[in-house]
């Protein structure tokens, strides 16, 4: 059973979307996975995903409404076998917390979609382009799923 954690900054836009998109794709592929998401920051802990993000996701049949933001913790290195960061800043913030001796892989989300030549999922909280974020998350989720099935 794969245990995968998606991580962004606030855990109200990109990583909850990645959690829902990847969970949906894995279910359709009949791949057993445990998925979760977290933010490196604590500003939105306990909150539901951001309204405009939920609305954009809902148009693609992803329900983000049950999700609640939490902060990434050092225990996540032992609780998951893959950690997927939405951008390079998330990746650096995660790596800064890595316990000595832990070797859990931490990968960039867009490393699973090299054909896009995009390295990060731009933060739609700032860009306001929620569909761009979903487009990238969907294509990277396809790539991650294919890698796990290979
Ligand atoms: P996310 O977007 O990292 O994709 O959840 C953000 C949402 C809120 C904030 C930062 C990023 N914020 O600083 O409030």
């Amino acid at each position: 059973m794969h245990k995968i954690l998606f991580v962004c900054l606030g855990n109200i836009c990109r990583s909850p979307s990645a959690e829902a998109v990847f969970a949906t794709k894995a279910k359709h592929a009949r791949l057993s996975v445990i998925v979760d998401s977290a933010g490196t920051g604590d500003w939105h802990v306990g909150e539901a995903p951001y309204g405009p993000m939920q609305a954009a996701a809902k148009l693609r049949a992803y329900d983000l409404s049950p999700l609640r933001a939490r902060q990434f913790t050092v225990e996540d290195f032992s609780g998951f076998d893959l950690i997927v960061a939405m951008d390079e800043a998330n990746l650096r913030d995660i790596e800064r917390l890595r316990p000595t001796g832990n070797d859990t892989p931490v990968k960039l989300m867009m490393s699973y979609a090299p054909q896009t030549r995009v390295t990060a999922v731009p933060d739609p909280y700032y860009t306001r382009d929620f569909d761009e974020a979903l487009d990238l998350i969907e294509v990277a989720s396809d790539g991650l799923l294919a890698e796990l099935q290979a």
Side-chain angles (χ1 to χ4, degrees):
M1 173 79 82
H2 302 282
K3 291 190 274 184
I4 303 170
L5 180 67
F6 297 96
V7 180
C8 63
L9 178 58
N11 194 211
I12 58 168
C13 291
R14 294 166 294 172
S15 63
S17 298
E19 176 185 350
V21 168
F22 185 74
T24 299
K25 289 180 178 292
K27 188 177 177 183
H28 288 159
R30 302 187 194 284
L31 183 74
S32 289
V33 290
I34 291 173
V35 292
D36 193 10
S37 64
T40 56
D42 67 356
W43 309 283
H44 299 283
V45 169
E47 293 178 21
Y50 187 52
M53 187 76 252
Q54 283 199 49
K58 193 173 181 182
L59 288 173
R60 302 185 189 201
Y62 304 113
D63 181 14
L64 306 188
S65 67
L67 304 178
R68 293 296 178 271
R70 73 170 179 88
Q71 190 171 23
F72 181 82
T73 76
V74 69
E75 284 79 30
D76 289 320
F77 283 100
S78 48
F80 294 89
D81 41 48
L82 174 63
I83 298 169
V84 182
M86 296 302 129
D87 64 31
E88 295 89 342
N90 307 146
L91 188 112
R92 279 195 301 275
D93 290 340
I94 294 164
E95 287 291 356
R96 207 174 283 139
L97 295 171
R98 182 188 291 279
T100 306
N102 175 276
D103 61 359
T104 305
V106 181
K107 304 282 194 191
L108 280 174
M109 184 69 168
M110 295 315 298
S111 71
Y112 296 104
Q115 71 276 21
T116 63
R117 298 187 183 155
V118 171
T119 56
V121 181
D123 192 339
Y125 194 73
Y126 301 108
T127 66
R128 313 308 296 175
D129 196 339
F130 300 94
D131 280 305
E132 174 194 45
L134 286 168
D135 287 343
L136 292 173
I137 287 166
E138 286 186 324
V139 68
S141 292
D142 287 333
L144 173 55
L145 187 63
E147 184 170 306
L148 295 177
Q149 288 176 313

